[in-house]
Amino acid sequence: MALRRTAAVIVLLAGIALGFWVVFGSPHDWEGGMRLLKFALGLTSLGMITASAWLMFPGSRDDDDDDISPHPMTGPLDAL
């Protein structure tokens, strides 16, 4: 688990660095077909950030064993 979280942090930092480079770096001069590459790099940085979240928290809703009751617990301010 520690290796997986370390990989998640590395992927997150690489995705953020790529995103900052696309926004503030040299791709501002790219024209024509290179603009599609700039767009693809931006989507790749978002994908890397999303993948790091998946690496950090790998569970899914199917893994939950909680029993969800149809009636939530009532509190002191709820009307009876």
Side-chain angles (χ1 to χ4, degrees):
M1 188 57 115
L3 180 63
R4 188 177 183 126
R5 291 199 174 170
T6 303
V9 170
I10 291 170
V11 170
L12 176 68
L13 292 176
I16 290 172
L18 179 63
F20 277 143
W21 181 73
V22 168
V23 171
F24 299 114
S26 68
H28 288 287
D29 299 335
W30 293 357
E31 295 179 4
M34 293 297 286
R35 294 183 79 188
L36 292 175
L37 179 62
K38 178 183 175 182
F39 181 71
L41 286 173
L43 287 179
T44 301
S45 71
L46 289 176
M48 290 173 72
I49 293 169
T50 303
S52 72
W54 177 78
L55 282 170
M56 183 70 73
F57 307 107
S60 66
R61 290 184 183 246
D62 298 336
D63 295 339
D64 291 340
D65 293 335
D66 297 337
D67 292 331
I68 300 173
S69 66
H71 304 290
M73 294 178 56
T74 58
L77 300 177
D78 292 333
L80 295 177

